[in-house]
Amino acid sequence: MAIRFRKSVKLAPGVRMNIGKKGVGFSTGVKGASVSTSARGTNLNVGIPGTGLSSSHRIMGKKTTRPQRAEYDRIQAQKEKAAVADHARLQVEEYQAHVNMLTSMHIDSTEPIDWEKRALSPLPFSEKESGPSYTKALETIKQYKPTVRDRLFNRIEQRKEALQALLLGAAAEDQKSLDNHHQVIGQAKRVLANDPNEWSHIINVHQPFEDIEKLHGKVTYQVIKPGIIVANLEIESEETVPQHVLSLTKTGKLSEKKMAKGKYLQLYQDFVASGMLRIAREFFALLPVETVIVHTYGYSQATEPAEYGCLLSMKVQRGEVENIEWERIDCSDTVERFEHNMKFLKTKGFKLVQEVHLP
């Protein structure tokens, strides 16, 4: 036996709340004309009081979704969820790559150039003899024999002219090879003679500090004595070293938390040390210098308010870096191997220091 339950409560004149097994609805109106709403939709009810005659029309029904549309909506929702998760994952990967970049600049360096070896390098061939390209072209001419088709179409002279042009081109190629070699030797001699213009040209061509500049570090340098370079690393943005940690939650959502102060300060120190070591390595690789002095300028963290000045200064001799395994070192600890000035507190950060003395 089906049991029905329905109760109507008057809330205000013309407004009633209807309670049934399937939920709660509301109706407004007067006898003979009312509008009722429920989870199933909105109905217009009209009737003639006292006659038992009435009619109900649904004017707004509950919208139903066909299975195909429901499946489409489900797939779209999954795609949006996956896109959000992929974006979060990429953000974390980018963050981790950035942090790794901050502390690994010292690992990469330009391949060292042996300027003395270049200056003494022999010519590719004797200038009193024919070059290899000319010799090869000449041998081709000697071996040329007119074919039947050459004779038939009367193009023997045309073939000979083409071979002569080949010979002239080969001679020009050999001369270019000699000219390039003379230029290399001349450049090497100027570099070894401490020509400042040539040194600047070498640095401009190789762009060795591009990684540092992408991290908002500005590198300038000057040659103060033959064989001695003084470089400045200016930290142009304090936002280069992140103060928050990005990670993924178990559900794949992005989590951003403030980095512990000690961890941030250690990361900042490693960033400074890694950049300074990279600068020293590049100068030793590209130029015949024996001493590189590097000063880093930025804002101190251990004083309030922060002051701008020298955070770390070090002097490195060429012989001190020759046997270092750069991929295995702790860059901050390695700086302490060399003559340096640094005041770094693990809980407060850098204090300003004086530059190391010049030789």
Side-chain angles (χ1 to χ4, degrees), residues 14-189:
V15 179
R16 305 185 71 85
M17 180 174 64
N18 306 311
I19 304 173
K21 290 175 61 179
K22 295 184 178 180
V24 178
F26 297 89
S27 61
T28 59
V30 296
K31 288 184 178 182
S34 65
V35 176
S36 61
T37 60
S38 67
R40 289 177 294 178
T42 303
N43 293 338
L44 173 63
N45 309 304
V46 294
I48 302 175
T51 66
L53 299 175
S54 66
S55 176
S56 179
H57 302 278
R58 179 165 293 181
I59 59 177
M60 186 180 297
K62 181 180 179 181
K63 185 177 181 181
T64 59
T65 304
R66 63 185 185 278
Q68 297 85 349
R69 179 54 187 262
E71 178 66 10
Y72 175 82
D73 290 343
R74 183 186 66 81
I75 293 175
Q76 292 300 312
Q78 286 183 340
K79 288 175 63 176
E80 292 177 3
K81 185 177 180 180
V84 171
D86 287 342
H87 182 64
R89 177 178 53 80
L90 290 175
Q91 282 184 283
V92 172
E93 290 179 357
E94 183 181 6
Y95 164 80
Q96 292 173 341
H98 179 74
V99 171
N100 291 336
M101 184 69 173
L102 292 176
T103 59
S104 63
M105 290 182 288
H106 61 281
I107 295 177
D108 296 324
S109 176
T110 306
E111 190 69 22
I113 301 174
D114 189 336
W115 292 107
E116 292 184 356
K117 183 177 181 180
R118 283 195 180 186
L120 299 174
S121 60
L123 293 172
F125 58 91
S126 174
E127 294 182 276
K128 297 180 180 180
E129 301 174 357
S130 298
S133 298
Y134 184 89
T135 301
K136 183 178 179 180
L138 189 60
E139 186 64 26
T140 301
I141 292 176
K142 290 180 180 179
Q143 293 178 358
Y144 168 70
K145 293 181 180 180
T147 64
V148 175
R149 294 174 63 85
D150 290 341
R151 297 179 188 278
L152 180 63
F153 293 102
N154 195 28
R155 58 187 186 189
I156 296 177
E157 291 301 321
Q158 183 180 358
R159 291 292 190 189
K160 288 182 177 180
E161 290 176 0
L163 290 172
Q164 287 297 323
L166 177 66
L167 191 64
L168 292 175
E173 184 177 342
D174 288 335
Q175 186 59 48
K176 183 178 180 180
S177 176
L178 278 176
D179 292 342
N180 289 340
H181 189 78
H182 286 306
Q183 290 178 4
V184 169
I185 292 177
Q187 182 185 59
K189 290 181 177 179

Side-chain angles (χ1 to χ4, degrees), residues 80 94 106 135 210 237 269 275 291 300 321:
E80 292 177 3
E94 183 181 6
H106 61 281
T135 301
E210 185 177 5
S237 174
Q269 183 190 29
T291 304
S300 64
V321 301

Side-chain angles (χ1 to χ4, degrees), residues 81-322:
K81 185 177 180 180
V84 171
D86 287 342
H87 182 64
R89 177 178 53 80
L90 290 175
Q91 282 184 283
V92 172
E93 290 179 357
E94 183 181 6
Y95 164 80
Q96 292 173 341
H98 179 74
V99 171
N100 291 336
M101 184 69 173
L102 292 176
T103 59
S104 63
M105 290 182 288
H106 61 281
I107 295 177
D108 296 324
S109 176
T110 306
E111 190 69 22
I113 301 174
D114 189 336
W115 292 107
E116 292 184 356
K117 183 177 181 180
R118 283 195 180 186
L120 299 174
S121 60
L123 293 172
F125 58 91
S126 174
E127 294 182 276
K128 297 180 180 180
E129 301 174 357
S130 298
S133 298
Y134 184 89
T135 301
K136 183 178 179 180
L138 189 60
E139 186 64 26
T140 301
I141 292 176
K142 290 180 180 179
Q143 293 178 358
Y144 168 70
K145 293 181 180 180
T147 64
V148 175
R149 294 174 63 85
D150 290 341
R151 297 179 188 278
L152 180 63
F153 293 102
N154 195 28
R155 58 187 186 189
I156 296 177
E157 291 301 321
Q158 183 180 358
R159 291 292 190 189
K160 288 182 177 180
E161 290 176 0
L163 290 172
Q164 287 297 323
L166 177 66
L167 191 64
L168 292 175
E173 184 177 342
D174 288 335
Q175 186 59 48
K176 183 178 180 180
S177 176
L178 278 176
D179 292 342
N180 289 340
H181 189 78
H182 286 306
Q183 290 178 4
V184 169
I185 292 177
Q187 182 185 59
K189 290 181 177 179
R190 290 191 297 273
V191 169
L192 292 171
N194 299 318
D195 184 329
N197 293 329
E198 195 63 56
W199 282 24
S200 295
H201 175 71
I202 296 297
I203 297 298
N204 291 334
V205 167
H206 288 272
Q207 293 292 311
F209 310 122
E210 185 177 5
D211 288 349
I212 298 175
E213 291 169 352
K214 286 181 179 179
L215 296 172
H216 304 287
K218 180 181 179 181
V219 180
T220 57
Y221 71 94
Q222 60 178 332
V223 181
I224 58 170
K225 294 181 183 178
I228 302 175
I229 279 184
V230 176
N232 285 347
L233 169 59
E234 297 180 50
I235 301 175
E236 296 184 310
S237 174
E238 296 300 308
E239 297 180 359
T240 299
V241 180
Q243 299 188 38
H244 292 79
V245 179
L246 298 186
S247 62
L248 292 177
T249 64
K250 291 182 179 180
T251 58
K253 294 182 179 179
L254 182 66
S255 172
E256 181 175 352
K257 296 180 180 179
K258 187 173 179 62
M259 186 181 295
K261 184 176 181 180
K263 183 178 180 180
Y264 166 75
L265 294 175
Q266 184 61 60
L267 180 60
Y268 196 98
Q269 183 190 29
D270 288 342
F271 162 60
V272 171
S274 183
M276 294 177 72
L277 292 172
R278 171 67 176 275
I279 292 170
R281 288 194 70 192
E282 292 292 358
F283 280 122
F284 286 133
L286 292 173
L287 299 174
V289 295
E290 292 301 321
T291 304
V292 176
I293 299 173
V294 187
H295 312 304
T296 293
Y297 277 78
Y299 285 95
S300 64
Q301 301 141 332
T303 56
E304 291 291 345
E307 298 176 337
Y308 186 84
C310 184
L311 303 178
L312 176 56
S313 179
M314 73 173 186
K315 179 168 65 176
V316 187
Q317 305 294 338
R318 178 180 288 273
E320 293 177 315
V321 301
E322 290 180 348

